[in-house]
Amino acid sequence: MTRSDRSPPSVSTLIFLTGISTLSLNMFIPSLVNIAAEFEADYALVSLSIAGYLAVTAVLQIIIGPLSDRYGRRPVLLWSIALFTLASIGCLLAPNIWAFLGFRLLQGAIIAGGALSRVVVRDMMPPKEAASLLGYIAMAMAIAPMLGPMVGGALDELFGWRSSFLAFALIGAALLAITWVDLGETNTNRSATFTAQIRAYPALLTSGPFWGYSACAAFSTGAFFAFIAGAPLVANVLFDMSPGRLGIYIGSITSGFFFGSFCAARLAARHSLTTMMLAGRVVACAGLAAGILLFALGAENELALFGSTIFVGIGNGITMPSSSVGAMSVRPDLAGAASGLSGALTVGAGAVLTWLAGAVAAALPGAIPLLGIMFAASFLGLLSAAWVARLEARLPSAP
């Protein structure tokens, strides 16, 4: 093996892997209308490039995780990035909507960057230190969803919608080179065979702590997805906001996540995983409860709405590093599988809550119904964290 095959990756490489897996979801969103126009396709069909992409990434995470447990993190990451790069070229050159959608779904392979970077961190260090480092990575990652649509919109205006996929191809090629040089193999306890790995799964799938950690992550993220789906319509109906002003307010939850991730990075190394999870869930629930109370008392203004939802971002930033590390620490020899399955559950919960929040906002375009859905999801996350804490008290060896 060469030195690059053995050396642990730098934090910047892990940040790039995580950020680009997020950037690939939303950078080209401002171009959806132009893509539909060029291909003479219905907008609902073109929007499958988002919904279908999410579905594919959920399935891929279930597959990618076990593959990395068996063959190692490095080869799975390299092949996934290479597939993303080729798929980006396919989108760039697509002659029709069906070719575009096919290659777009293949771009979902880049989800390995986000899923396995967490596993690499867990391979490298103990749980509390891993949660702290993931907090710093999440801070940098939070920039991607804020800048992605801005960059994609500017590229579309200057060079057309295909330029976003040229950018994806160039980014993918650069990331492949960086990963090849910098990211060494961190899985020192590979499964001997898939048969041996399958035999070990029941210990993971029947673990109460694993499902508790995963449920906490899924419900926490679900509250964010509910906000994204329902807040634009509610804000438009209640406050008649301009798109620019709405964009600033929508971004507030991401700024909250940035701050919460900073808190996690500073505090996680000194506190248990469950303490951090519970703290994040209490912050989110308290902020949403205050917002519901303000609207119930008649304080209907944008600051009451977005001032309360920003606490979801803060709470998620505090909770997510610890819940992710906890799920992977139940069975370290199955960390990849645990990360993949937990990630798939998170995407699935997000999809359900996105649909639910959109439907409720369309039928009842008020602040209290939206905040109520977000509170319910956050509270279920709190119950999940409390359940893990109870199990941990009974099992001193828990992470």
Side-chain angles (χ1 to χ4, degrees):
M1 296 177 75
T2 65
R3 182 178 181 277
S4 63
D5 291 328
R6 296 194 303 266
S7 60
S10 64
V11 175
S12 60
T13 297
L14 297 175
I15 290 172
F16 289 143
L17 285 168
T18 305
I20 292 173
S21 67
T22 304
L23 191 70
S24 63
L25 173 63
N26 71 352
M27 191 172 89
F28 79 106
I29 286 178
S31 300
L32 289 178
V33 173
N34 290 338
I35 294 172
E38 178 169 332
F39 288 137
E40 298 181 352
D42 186 74
Y43 183 84
L45 179 61
V46 177
S47 68
L48 287 177
S49 59
I50 301 297
Y53 178 90
L54 286 173
V56 167
T57 58
V59 174
L60 284 178
Q61 288 186 80
I62 299 175
I63 300 171
I64 286 170
L67 284 176
S68 76
D69 287 334
R70 173 64 184 90
Y71 296 106
R73 321 301 183 205
R74 176 181 166 86
V76 174
L77 276 168
L78 290 172
W79 279 106
S80 298
I81 298 168
L83 180 56
F84 167 78
T85 304
L86 294 174
S88 299
I89 296 173
C91 291
L92 169 66
L93 303 176
N96 56 61
I97 185 60
W98 299 110
F100 172 78
L101 289 176
F103 284 115
R104 170 60 183 163
L105 296 184
L106 289 177
Q107 275 193 306
I110 196 61
I111 195 63
L116 294 187
S117 60
R118 297 192 299 267
V119 185
V120 168
V121 171
R122 180 60 188 93
D123 288 340
M124 292 165 54
M125 55 189 62
K128 290 198 290 185
E129 287 77 2
S132 176
L133 179 56
L134 285 179
Y136 284 115
I137 292 174
M139 287 174 61
M141 184 199 71
I143 299 173
M146 289 191 288
L147 296 182
M150 297 169 56
V151 173
L155 287 174
D156 191 334
E157 288 190 12
L158 293 172
F159 308 109
W161 67 265
R162 293 180 188 268
S163 60
S164 290
F165 293 93
L166 174 59
F168 282 141
L170 295 175
I171 291 171
L175 184 62
L176 183 63
I178 292 171
T179 304
W180 179 274
V181 171
D182 185 58
L183 193 145
E185 183 55 62
T186 59
N187 183 4
T188 58
N189 188 28
R190 301 186 198 180
S191 302
T193 64
F194 269 117
T195 301
Q197 195 172 2
I198 291 172
R199 287 175 181 168
Y201 278 169
L204 175 66
L205 299 178
T206 59
S207 168
F210 168 76
W211 291 108
Y213 286 119
S214 299
C216 182
F219 286 123
S220 301
T221 306
F224 168 77
F225 277 106
F227 170 82
I228 294 298
L233 179 58
V234 171
N236 184 61
V237 171
L238 295 183
F239 312 122
D240 192 26
M241 283 187 175
S242 66
R245 190 178 180 191
L246 177 60
I248 294 173
Y249 275 112
I250 292 291
S252 64
I253 196 169
T254 305
S255 63
F257 181 80
F258 184 92
F259 177 74
S261 298
F262 172 77
C263 294
R266 296 299 299 271
L267 300 174
R270 300 196 300 270
H271 299 281
S272 70
L273 301 182
T274 51
T275 297
M276 297 300 296
M277 291 161 59
L278 288 167
R281 294 304 84 217
V282 169
V283 168
C285 289
L288 292 169
I292 293 172
L293 179 61
L294 286 173
F295 275 93
L297 294 176
E300 295 193 1
N301 58 72
E302 57 264 36
L303 292 180
L305 175 62
F306 294 102
S308 61
T309 56
I310 196 173
F311 285 93
V312 172
I314 296 172
N316 284 5
I318 295 172
T319 294
M320 293 302 294
S322 294
S323 60
S324 296
V325 169
M328 293 184 289
S329 299
V330 172
R331 283 292 301 264
D333 56 321
L334 297 174
S339 177
L341 182 55
S342 181
L345 291 171
T346 298
V347 173
V352 171
L353 284 165
T354 297
W355 168 80
L356 178 61
V360 169
L364 300 169
I368 291 180
L370 174 62
L371 294 176
I373 292 174
M374 296 176 67
F375 178 84
S378 298
F379 186 71
L380 288 172
L382 176 60
L383 293 180
S384 301
W387 183 45
V388 173
R390 183 179 179 184
L391 293 175
E392 187 182 73
R394 295 178 177 178
L395 301 171
S397 61

